[in-house]
Amino acid sequence: MKKSIIVALFLTLIVQFSVSAQSGIDTFMVQVDGLGCPFCAYGLEKKFKELKGIKNIKIAIATGGFSFGYPAEKALTMQTVKSQVEKAGYTPVTLKIIRADGKEELSETEK
Amino acid sequence: MKLFYGLYALIFLCTITSVAQGPPITSDKPIMLGAGSFTARTLLEFRNTDSGSFSYAPLILNYLPTSNSLIEIELPLIGYETTTGDAKQALADIKVVGKYQFFRKDGMGKTFRIAAKTIQTLPTGKALDLMYLSTGNYAGYYGIVAGIEKLNYGISNEIGYNWMPNGTLDEMRYKIGFGLPLLKPQYPNKQVNLYFEYTNSWLLERDWYQLLYAQGIQYARKNTTLDVSVQVPIINDVAEGRRLKYSLFGGGRFTF
């Protein structure tokens, strides 16, 4: 019985920790135009890796879908993301941010 | 000669680690990367002509100060054995390249871009009268590069003029190149690309004309790219004893 309680408490702590960790991450989803080759996607990823703390970068080159996670406490803005895509040499079309607290932000074109 | 081939191999090995997809063979592309990128690359050439055989090994370094501008320096070595019995290794003509991309139209999975380009050839090489390799004369090239890149093909065009005030290698040139990926596009990169291109070269003061065809293949995986290609003349209207027989190319690129 004691063992079961300890294991349950331990599992609860782990779940709590995971939830806290995930809830500290903002999720960004960008539609990018101009990715005409896989190397282009590398250029985009490389540019965004300049943002320290970026996680879970995913690029779907067929559709131009680009998503990543970023620490919520750093409050990355929509304008910074758009600027970084342009510095990478591509065109941001739509941008959706799901903040760690659940709030959503949409770019003008996404709306 | 051993030292030359040793340096040749070293340059090739240093640049074989790469994430490249072109420019293929000798044709150029508009700017595809972002601001702050450095690239080291090489395009080794073995050129066999009626006047001798020439091995060219450049180390090419470029930097993008902004996403629509590029500066590049080409530091080349050349080894040669001419039919007159002259054989040596030497520094070839150093080149400085500038590109400015003034038009870009992006779409989903595609892009069309146009850039202005200049190549300033410095008279640092042996006077071998080898176009774009080693002439020992200053030359200024001015051209426009336009290209479309889509996930299932790429086309690049270049038109330009090479001006050599103290020589007779003034040239009007037009190139067109095609790239075809053989595997389904995926990221991270794993691809085999087939390239073929045509080069038209008119040397106006000498009344020479060449139409060259090149075919090549590129393997790209993650951070590694290996390119090999061959170029042959279709039309070779040049002076006797100066005709190109064929050129072999081997290339690699690394971006950091």
Side-chain angles (χ1 to χ4, degrees):
Chain A
M1 181 71 179
K2 235 187 211 175
K3 220 182 202 175
S4 306
I5 293 169
I6 291 167
V7 168
L9 272 170
F10 185 66
L11 283 170
T12 308
L13 272 169
I14 289 173
V15 167
Q16 284 276 8
F17 181 75
S18 302
V19 166
S20 301
Q22 284 170 16
S23 67
I25 298 289
D26 294 339
T27 302
F28 294 78
M29 288 163 277
V30 194
Q31 177 65 36
V32 178
D33 275 357
L35 296 176
C37 60
F39 184 47
C40 306
Y42 168 78
L44 182 66
E45 180 178 356
K46 181 174 167 295
K47 200 69 197 160
F48 271 80
K49 279 186 170 172
E50 292 176 3
L51 302 173
K52 300 295 175 204
I54 195 168
K55 296 174 192 303
N56 305 322
I57 295 175
K58 291 191 179 101
I59 303 174
I61 54 171
T63 58
F66 170 51
S67 65
F68 61 92
Y70 201 72
E73 69 268 18
K74 293 194 180 179
L76 185 64
T77 64
M78 197 171 280
Q79 190 49 49
T80 304
V81 173
K82 284 182 181 175
S83 170
Q84 205 70 359
V85 172
E86 282 159 2
K87 282 183 194 169
Y90 305 105
T91 303
V93 180
T94 59
L95 172 56
K96 182 175 175 180
I97 307 173
I98 302 174
R99 296 290 181 190
D101 59 7
K103 284 186 186 153
E104 282 190 12
E105 293 169 36
L106 299 170
S107 59
E108 281 302 312
T109 40
E110 180 80 39
K111 287 172 194 165
Chain B
M1 207 62 180
K2 275 185 191 170
L3 175 63
F4 176 81
Y5 284 120
L7 281 169
Y8 197 97
L10 185 64
I11 289 171
F12 186 69
L13 286 168
C14 284
T15 52
I16 200 171
T17 305
S18 74
V19 288
Q21 185 169 310
I25 317 176
T26 66
S27 65
D28 201 356
K29 279 188 179 182
I31 297 169
M32 299 300 294
L33 283 178
S37 300
F38 282 97
T39 298
R41 63 185 182 94
T42 187
L43 184 64
L44 309 172
E45 180 182 352
F46 175 75
R47 185 183 292 189
N48 191 266
T49 73
D50 284 347
S51 62
S53 58
F54 307 89
S55 300
Y56 184 75
L59 177 62
I60 305 165
L61 305 165
N62 74 45
Y63 174 66
L64 275 67
T66 65
S67 61
N68 62 348
S69 62
L70 175 146
I71 50 172
E72 180 176 278
I73 184 159
E74 184 170 322
L75 305 167
L77 298 175
I78 191 161
Y80 56 90
E81 282 184 55
T82 66
T83 50
T84 56
D86 196 10
K88 215 174 178 180
Q89 303 88 51
L91 179 67
D93 293 331
I94 291 174
K95 297 176 190 65
V96 179
V97 180
K99 275 203 273 198
Y100 179 72
Q101 189 157 277
F102 56 89
F103 181 84
R104 185 179 98 198
K105 174 81 177 159
D106 289 340
M108 189 196 297
K110 60 185 176 185
T111 185
F112 174 62
R113 302 179 178 201
I114 308 176
K117 172 181 170 181
T118 181
I119 304 174
Q120 299 297 304
T121 302
L122 307 180
T124 56
K126 180 94 176 165
L128 297 172
D129 200 41
L130 283 175
M131 190 80 190
Y132 290 107
L133 299 190
S134 193
T135 64
N137 274 319
Y138 163 76
Y141 172 84
Y142 306 91
I144 299 282
V145 179
I148 182 164
E149 284 292 319
K150 297 176 90 169
L151 292 172
N152 50 0
Y153 68 87
I155 303 175
S156 61
N157 287 269
E158 180 173 348
I159 187 163
Y161 189 82
N162 187 60
W163 173 63
M164 184 178 279
N166 297 321
T168 57
L169 287 173
D170 279 29
E171 180 211 24
M172 183 74 186
R173 147 192 301 214
Y174 173 66
K175 286 187 176 183
I176 182 164
F178 303 89
L180 288 175
L182 299 181
L183 304 177
K184 188 181 167 186
Q186 55 186 286
Y187 187 76
N189 196 19
K190 181 184 172 184
Q191 189 56 270
V192 177
N193 295 299
L194 199 62
Y195 292 110
F196 45 103
E197 52 181 62
Y198 294 89
T199 300
N200 290 272
S201 175
W202 293 271
L203 269 70
L204 307 171
E205 287 166 297
R206 297 188 184 187
D207 199 25
W208 290 2
Y209 172 67
Q210 281 185 315
L211 174 61
L212 307 177
Y213 172 72
Q215 179 134 7
I217 192 155
Q218 177 189 76
Y219 175 68
R221 179 158 171 84
K222 292 184 183 176
N223 290 340
T224 304
T225 296
L226 188 65
D227 314 326
V228 290
S229 50
V230 60
Q231 185 179 60
V232 293
I234 297 174
I235 299 173
N236 218 350
D237 187 16
V238 303
E240 201 62 40
R242 295 300 308 273
R243 292 196 175 95
L244 172 71
K245 292 178 184 173
Y246 63 87
S247 286
L248 299 173
F249 295 90
R253 149 192 324 254
F254 174 72
T255 296
F256 52 97

